[in-house]
Amino acid sequence: MSFLIADGVLPSNEGRGYVLRRIIRRAVRHGNKLGAEDSFFYKMVAPLVAEMGEAYPQLVEKQAFIESAIEKEEVQFAKTLAQGLRLLDSELSNLKSGDVLSGEAAFKLYDTYGFPVDLTADITRERGISIDEAGFDEQMNIQRQRARDAGKFDVDYSAAIKVETPTEFVGYEKLDETQVNIIGLYQDGKEVDELNEGDEGVIVLDRTPFYAEGGGQVGEMGEIRTSSGVFNVEDTKKSGQAIIHHGVVNMGSLKAKQTADTQVISAIRAASAKNHSATHLLHAALRKVLGDKVSQKGSLVSSEVLRFDFSYDNAVSQKDLATIERLVNEQIQANVETQIEHMNIDEAMAKGAAALFGEKYGETVRVLTMGARDIEDGVEKPFSIELCGGLHVKRTGDIGLFKITSESGIAAGVRRIEALTGMGALRYVQQADSQLTALANQLKAKRPEVADRVQSMADKQRELEKEIERLNQKIASAQAATLVDQVQTIADKKVLIAQVAGIDGKAMRGLIDDMKSKLQDTIIVLVGEKGDQLALAASVSKSLTADIKAGDIIRHLATELGGKGGGKPDYAQGGAPNSDKLASVMAQLPTWLQSQLS
């Protein structure tokens, strides 16, 4: 696990991250069986480093990061382990050795509590019980089908289509290509001779300017035209060595072995290239500001979206985000020409090129260098140098503007930055500027004064809310004196049933406490009316909880009034909408209490 994390793998619900999560969770569960109650597993990293750190220095360099990643996963799993084990114990309580746990129960453990099915199998095996694996697989397939139904293309064409002939990509420098050959047409994953108007399908060409989805960049869009029809390309992907074009026949028909002309939508490509190049500058800026421990965990780049995921334990401060944003925009303003070189992988790594963990690279790689050169540790280095086969701007200045719009955590040790470039960034800034101007006008303040003015108003509002709460408590205390006279006897028990005006839930608790100090061995039921809402509260002296429970009283009232509530035997509360039913429900409450107490 330590080596996986050192190499950039983190616990997740997909791929290698899911394998790592399963190993950790199995280990934690066995530690739990051996009596470990607190987090323990991450503490084993230190002796591992002591034993193997000399041979594997990356363990020493990343020890703190590895410990943090394992501890976070431990803590997260500990929260669900106890609940999951209770559910499993409940399911197994009615089974004996030789019985079978239903696939539905095993799937619920997996889906709700994160129990991998092999972990559930470990536990059941210890009791001589097996799992209905076919039933589990059926539930899993249902879930996968739901996920597929949410997408436009139900068929996984990339897996279904097998093309021996590789497609030549000619799109780095151009948006169109003429006289290409259609070498395959597919519909519903099956090869066909023709696609007609309105048909959804896939076209495979011998060469194409369309960039296939990869490296975080989405597939391109455009048109494929033949003498007999027009095909709208809505997405482009890879299938082995072939590039496949998903889309719909917009006009006429297309046939296998026809020649065609292709055209990529230029505006979409230009916007996508700006966003893709910006992710490289962002990655470099993150490492400069947050340290070399930052590594890319994924990205999504389209004409409208720039999303970058990276490894980092804490939320990035606003100050650091501002610095990162400034560094990227400095490189944009420098307007340095993008350099593209092809070399073998060892040369690229020697030059300091960053590679994305998990990506497969051939012997010859495409190295992208961006940004102004600077002196670092006495060596001249470019701002960004990475292995990348994607589409990029010719000069950093083509990006125009870079604006971070959000930063958030998406998994343990993984953060996400979303940003805009070019005209999208400008529109965002203009909208924010317009909102700030409107706010300043409303507050009758200068723009630099807006934040202080809003803070002052928020502080004032909190003071007023506290004052309102104090006044409500005074009102409640004033009413308490008169309520004592309304105590009645029901089934030989002292009972106070009352409606109080202008009291919300918070004030109700104070009023109940006040009444309890005045009335011993009493059942107290109060309904507060404030606007269109009712606050319900009940208190039962501990000497009487064997006869009736406060939670039962509130559940009865809430059910009758169309609300909800509950609580402990000696105190419970709830709420309901105010309605004409209140008078009749309150009138019948003594009779109901009589039936419960008799």
Side-chain angles (χ1 to χ4, degrees):
M1 280 170 280
S2 295
F3 280 101
L4 282 167
I5 295 167
D7 279 341
V9 181
L10 287 170
S12 70
N13 288 329
E14 295 178 342
R16 52 186 178 265
Y18 181 55
V19 174
L20 175 62
R21 171 163 283 170
R22 288 171 66 177
I23 297 171
I24 292 176
R25 292 190 168 188
R26 173 176 279 184
V28 170
R29 186 253 165 177
H30 279 287
N32 181 268
K33 277 187 65 184
L34 291 168
E37 296 180 355
D38 299 322
S39 299
F40 71 94
F41 203 32
Y42 75 98
K43 298 174 184 176
M44 298 173 70
V45 176
L48 172 71
V49 171
E51 187 71 21
M52 304 186 73
E54 184 176 352
Y56 299 97
Q58 69 266 39
L59 290 178
V60 180
E61 294 167 8
K62 299 187 177 181
Q63 179 178 346
F65 179 68
I66 296 167
E67 288 174 340
S68 175
I70 293 178
E71 184 181 17
K72 284 186 177 180
E73 183 66 17
E74 266 195 281
V75 170
Q76 181 180 335
F77 185 47
K79 293 176 182 176
T80 61
L81 181 62
Q83 293 173 294
L85 288 175
R86 278 198 296 271
L87 173 64
L88 184 56
D89 284 341
S90 174
E91 294 285 346
L92 297 179
S93 63
N94 297 319
L95 302 177
K96 59 183 183 297
S97 180
D99 286 345
V100 178
L101 178 70
S102 72
E104 187 176 351
F107 182 77
K108 184 177 180 181
L109 281 163
Y110 161 79
D111 197 39
T112 306
Y113 297 103
F115 271 47
V117 68
D118 54 350
L119 175 56
T120 303
D122 278 351
I123 299 170
T124 55
R125 194 181 301 117
E126 292 163 4
R127 305 193 190 190
I129 295 170
S130 59
I131 293 177
D132 177 10
E133 293 186 9
F136 177 86
D137 291 340
E138 182 181 355
Q139 293 293 322
M140 194 65 131
N141 288 331
I142 291 171
Q143 187 186 63
R144 288 175 180 146
Q145 186 61 49
R146 282 197 297 266
R148 281 195 293 268
D149 291 343
K152 181 170 182 181
F153 293 98
D154 293 336
V155 179
D156 183 359
Y157 292 108
S158 300
I161 296 173
K162 303 297 180 186
V163 183
E164 299 297 332
T165 307
T167 304
E168 180 187 0
F169 177 63
V170 296
Y172 282 127
E173 299 298 331
K174 54 172 130 179
L175 292 158
D176 56 28
E177 181 75 353
T178 59
Q179 296 296 297
V180 301
N181 298 305
I182 297 176
I183 59 175
L185 297 174
Y186 295 84
Q187 190 173 25
D188 297 329
K190 298 178 182 178
E191 190 166 10
V192 295
D193 294 325
E194 185 175 7
L195 289 174
N196 296 303
E197 190 167 321
D199 286 348
E200 282 187 12
V202 166
I203 294 180
V204 184
L205 305 172
D206 61 345
R207 63 186 190 280
T208 180
F210 288 89
Y211 179 79
E213 178 183 331
Q217 185 167 344
V218 301
E220 291 197 291
M221 303 167 67
E223 283 186 348
I224 298 173
R225 298 182 296 272
T226 71
S227 59
S228 59
V230 178
F231 182 84
N232 281 356
V233 179
E234 298 180 353
D235 197 5
T236 310
K237 295 181 180 293
K238 289 180 181 175
S239 178
Q241 296 298 308
I243 294 175
I244 59 179
H245 308 79
H246 300 238
V248 179
V249 179
N250 189 41
M251 183 176 69
S253 63
L254 291 90
K255 299 178 181 178
K257 299 182 181 180
Q258 274 187 306
T259 59
D261 297 338
T262 59
Q263 180 68 53
V264 176
I265 299 175
S266 59
I268 292 179
R269 170 174 285 194
S272 297
K274 290 175 182 178
N275 282 338
H276 198 167
S277 295
T279 62
H280 284 231
L281 297 179
L282 172 60
H283 188 192
L286 283 165
R287 290 174 67 86
K288 287 182 182 294
V289 175
L290 304 179
D292 291 342
K293 58 187 173 183
V294 168
S295 61
Q296 183 175 347
K297 290 292 145 196
S299 65
L300 176 63
V301 176
S302 71
S303 59
E304 298 178 349
V305 175
L306 186 170
R307 196 173 76 198
F308 189 83
D309 300 340
F310 58 98
S311 59
Y312 195 63
D313 277 345
N314 306 306
V316 184
S317 69
Q318 287 300 314
K319 181 181 177 182
D320 283 343
L321 285 174
T323 302
I324 291 161
E325 189 176 84
R326 176 179 57 76
L327 287 174
V328 174
N329 280 296
E330 284 176 355
Q331 296 303 317
I332 292 171
Q333 291 202 10
N335 197 27
V336 176
E337 184 177 1
T338 301
Q339 296 180 8
I340 296 173
E341 303 171 277
H342 292 85
M343 60 186 73
N344 68 51
I345 186 71
D346 293 333
E347 289 176 322
M349 302 310 285
K351 286 189 69 171
L356 182 60
F357 181 83
E359 286 291 316
K360 295 179 180 179
Y361 298 102
E363 290 185 11
T364 301
V365 292
R366 187 169 182 258
V367 181
L368 187 78
T369 302
M370 298 181 67
R373 292 180 175 273
D374 198 3
I375 302 297
E376 189 175 311
D377 298 328
V379 180
E380 187 182 56
K381 293 183 179 180
F383 187 78
S384 167
I385 177 168
E386 293 193 33
L387 307 184
C388 184
L391 302 173
H392 290 276
V393 297
K394 294 186 182 300
R395 306 185 72 92
T396 57
D398 296 342
I399 298 170
L401 179 65
F402 174 80
K403 180 64 185 173
I404 294 174
T405 58
S406 71
E407 189 274 343
S408 60
I410 60 167
V414 181
R415 309 295 299 178
R416 170 172 292 170
I417 282 180
E418 296 186 21
L420 296 168
T421 62
M423 293 305 294
L426 179 61
R427 284 191 294 270
Y428 181 89
V429 171
Q430 287 178 330
Q431 183 182 33
D433 185 72
S434 176
Q435 290 171 341
L436 179 59
T437 298
L439 191 56
N441 290 337
Q442 284 184 325
L443 296 172
K444 294 183 172 57
K446 295 179 181 179
R447 285 163 46 119
E449 300 170 352
V450 166
D452 289 340
R453 186 70 63 87
V454 170
Q455 184 62 55
S456 176
M457 292 175 67
D459 292 342
K460 184 65 174 176
Q461 181 177 339
R462 278 192 289 270
E463 289 176 11
L464 291 172
E465 287 172 351
K466 289 179 181 177
E467 181 62 25
I468 290 170
E469 191 173 333
R470 285 193 293 269
L471 291 172
N472 279 336
Q473 291 294 348
K474 286 183 178 180
I475 293 170
S477 295
Q479 293 192 48
T482 62
L483 293 176
V484 174
D485 299 332
Q486 298 182 36
V487 174
Q488 56 184 300
T489 299
I490 298 176
D492 297 327
K493 307 291 189 299
K494 290 191 294 183
V495 179
L496 170 62
I497 300 172
Q499 293 176 234
V500 288
I503 299 292
D504 60 12
K506 280 186 178 180
M508 182 70 82
R509 182 63 191 254
L511 180 55
I512 284 277
D513 289 341
D514 202 358
M515 297 306 303
K516 284 167 64 178
S517 67
K518 293 179 170 63
L519 300 171
Q520 304 297 318
D521 301 324
T522 305
I523 299 166
I524 303 170
V525 184
L526 300 180
V527 177
E529 297 178 78
K530 192 167 186 180
D532 59 356
Q533 288 295 312
L534 299 176
L536 316 176
S539 170
V540 177
S541 296
K542 290 188 176 180
S543 60
L544 301 176
T545 53
D547 300 302
I548 193 167
K549 293 177 173 50
D552 293 337
I553 298 173
I554 291 301
R555 278 189 285 273
H556 167 74
L557 279 176
T559 301
E560 293 294 314
L561 294 167
K564 57 184 179 180
K568 298 178 181 178
D570 61 334
Y571 180 78
Q573 59 188 22
N578 203 344
S579 69
D580 295 338
K581 293 177 62 178
L582 178 61
S584 62
V585 170
M586 293 297 285
Q588 294 168 13
L589 184 58
T591 304
W592 181 84
L593 288 171
Q594 176 79 40
S595 67
Q596 299 298 307
L597 292 167
S598 297

